[in-house]
Amino acid sequence: MKVTEHIKNANGKTLFSFEILPPKKGEDLQNIFSNIDPLMEFKPPFIDVTYHREEYEYRELPNGSIQKIITRKRPGTVGICAAIQQKYKVDAVPHLICGGFNKEETENILIDFNFLGIDNILVLRGDPIKSEGFFKPHPQGHSYANELVSQVGHMNSGKYLHEEYAHGATNFCIGIAGYPEKHFESPNLDTDLGYLKQKINAGGNYIVTQLFFDNKKYFDFVKKCRELGITVPIIPGIKPISIKKHLTILPNVFHIDMPQELVKAVENCKDNKAVYEVGIEWTINQCKELMKQGVPVLHFYSMGRSENIRRIATELF
Ligand code: FAD
């Protein structure tokens, strides 16, 4: 079922969902299931699975020369989505990125998703390759997420890259990313929102936000979206802080601010066990306020760990 239908059927009740990462190449899928299992009691109608692009590695060979290796460290998104749908009977939402793919490869992945009975896709541009400073599109691929949204939208109307198939139309529900504190490459929030609107106009059906710790940022973002005529559901992305280092890692990776009250509380912790508890308490309060305002879903970034999310969800659902 489509994410938008799950939201509609919930009749204003806030739903619980979460995102997982595929395991690193060679690791067991069982680790993923062990983290999903404790969260199933909160009845997530959908689970997101991230997509990870290739990385470059430089390895020294015995003769002293250096070899450049192109490797995907977390493959398996398509297979994990199929496994989740089969094992848990919930909708898996694969992420689909522009980076590293030409349009033909993208079309073929979409055909696989369709055959697997996947109804939803979160469409993204993807980040730059780690060793590159800025995003370089594939020469035969897409530069921005709105172009990828259009490609999925075309397939939803039966228009493939080279042919039209009236009976081959897919019916994907398309999620897109939004940034309450603006995307880091954007000169300002208004410009970023203009491009967000472009993604909606191209066929985006719902928005999932970047993680944030200050609800005001989310509420202001939703208000601005509504003023621009964006009417689709806007799902807040939530991440509990769990170690002291998150004070620097999260702003660095996700380009977000942290409220001073949270920073102080974490700084005053004597160890990471205490930080873990502060993170849980902060998130519970944050989520309670979001639920009070009627957010459609609380979407947790689990990043492969579920114990704190289980404790938070126990308080909320
Ligand atoms: P876009 O919407 O294309 O925007 C990128 C930048 O370009 C923005 O600054 C925007 O303002 C600007 N822009 C957009 N359109 C245009 C245009 N037509 N002309 C000029 N400028 C434009 N990354 C992964 O690699 N894998 C994942 O699984 C993944 N999951 C994510 C899930 C969520 C909920 C979020 C919020 C992010 C996720 N990311 C993931 C990270 C994401 O790929 C990066 O944030 C990426 O840098 C931007 O992606 P986007 O889809 O928002 O890009």
Side-chain angles (χ1 to χ4, degrees):
M1 201 194 281
K2 295 182 174 188
V3 166
T4 46
E5 289 167 344
H6 284 298
I7 292 172
K8 204 166 156 220
N9 293 347
N11 283 323
K13 193 173 151 258
T14 301
L15 299 169
F16 165 82
S17 74
F18 58 95
E19 171 190 292
I20 60 157
L21 277 62
K24 284 200 180 129
K25 200 186 282 183
E27 282 179 6
D28 199 344
L29 186 56
Q30 195 49 48
N31 295 340
I32 299 286
F33 292 151
S34 330
N35 277 297
I36 294 180
D37 288 344
L39 300 178
M40 291 315 290
E41 67 173 286
F42 308 106
K43 303 198 170 19
F46 61 92
I47 299 171
D48 276 51
V49 184
T50 55
Y51 212 109
H52 297 260
R53 66 173 305 173
E54 74 278 19
E55 292 175 38
Y56 300 154
E57 264 183 28
Y58 294 89
R59 289 192 190 158
E60 194 172 348
L61 299 177
N63 67 4
S65 64
I66 303 288
Q67 188 184 26
K68 179 178 172 184
I69 292 170
I70 302 177
T71 177
R72 204 178 286 275
K73 289 193 173 160
R74 291 182 187 271
T77 301
V78 181
I80 290 173
C81 285
I84 286 175
Q85 297 214 143
Q86 197 181 31
K87 183 172 163 66
Y88 299 104
K89 313 286 179 240
V90 300
D91 284 301
V93 183
H95 294 188
L96 183 65
I97 57 174
C98 306
F101 294 98
N102 66 34
K103 292 176 195 166
E104 186 82 27
E105 288 162 337
T106 296
E107 183 171 276
N108 292 337
I109 296 175
L110 287 164
I111 290 170
D112 281 342
F113 287 154
N114 191 37
F115 287 164
L116 285 168
I118 284 166
D119 295 332
N120 306 279
I121 296 166
L122 190 74
V123 170
L124 303 139
R125 186 195 70 179
D127 277 326
I129 291 184
K130 277 194 186 121
S131 51
E132 293 180 345
F134 56 93
F135 179 82
K136 279 193 205 150
H138 187 289
Q140 284 83 43
H142 298 296
S143 302
Y144 296 103
N146 72 293
E147 298 166 11
L148 182 50
V149 171
S150 290
Q151 185 176 1
V152 182
H154 285 146
M155 283 181 68
N156 280 348
S157 335
K159 288 185 203 135
Y160 288 63
L161 285 175
H162 307 297
E163 295 93 3
E164 283 201 24
Y165 302 100
H167 298 293
T170 54
N171 189 18
F172 293 117
C173 176
I174 304 171
I176 55 170
Y179 302 83
E181 300 178 58
K182 94 170 178 67
H183 183 261
F184 70 101
E185 291 167 22
S186 198
N188 57 49
L189 184 58
D190 287 340
T191 305
D192 204 25
L193 286 167
Y195 289 124
L196 182 68
K197 181 86 192 291
Q198 199 178 38
K199 284 194 279 192
I200 294 291
N201 293 344
N205 300 117
Y206 69 98
I207 297 168
V208 184
T209 76
Q210 182 58 280
L211 58 92
F212 59 90
F213 292 93
D214 181 354
N215 284 347
K216 188 173 179 309
K217 301 263 170 69
Y218 169 83
F219 295 135
D220 289 350
F221 174 75
V222 173
K223 189 165 171 273
K224 284 194 168 216
C225 287
R226 301 301 180 225
E227 283 165 5
L228 281 174
I230 296 174
T231 56
V232 301
I234 303 178
I235 299 175
I238 308 290
K239 156 111 190 92
I241 201 166
S242 57
I243 51 170
K244 215 169 231 187
K245 272 198 175 152
H246 276 160
L247 287 186
T248 48
I249 294 173
L250 298 180
N252 187 19
V253 175
F254 299 106
H255 310 276
I256 44 103
D257 275 357
M258 288 188 187
Q260 184 63 357
E261 194 189 337
L262 175 61
V263 175
K264 283 272 163 252
V266 171
E267 279 175 350
N268 287 337
C269 290
K270 67 175 190 326
D271 55 23
N272 275 335
K273 221 171 137 206
V275 176
Y276 197 77
E277 296 303 317
V278 165
I280 289 174
E281 198 189 324
W282 182 275
T283 309
I284 289 172
N285 291 332
Q286 195 186 348
C287 291
K288 278 186 177 164
E289 189 183 26
L290 290 166
M291 285 172 101
K292 226 170 155 184
Q293 295 299 317
V295 297
V297 184
L298 288 169
H299 186 68
F300 289 87
Y301 296 113
S302 80
M303 296 182 186
R305 291 196 182 81
S306 58
E307 177 50 23
N308 49 359
I309 296 174
R310 193 194 60 75
R311 282 184 51 196
I312 292 159
T314 304
E315 287 289 322
L316 302 170
F317 293 95

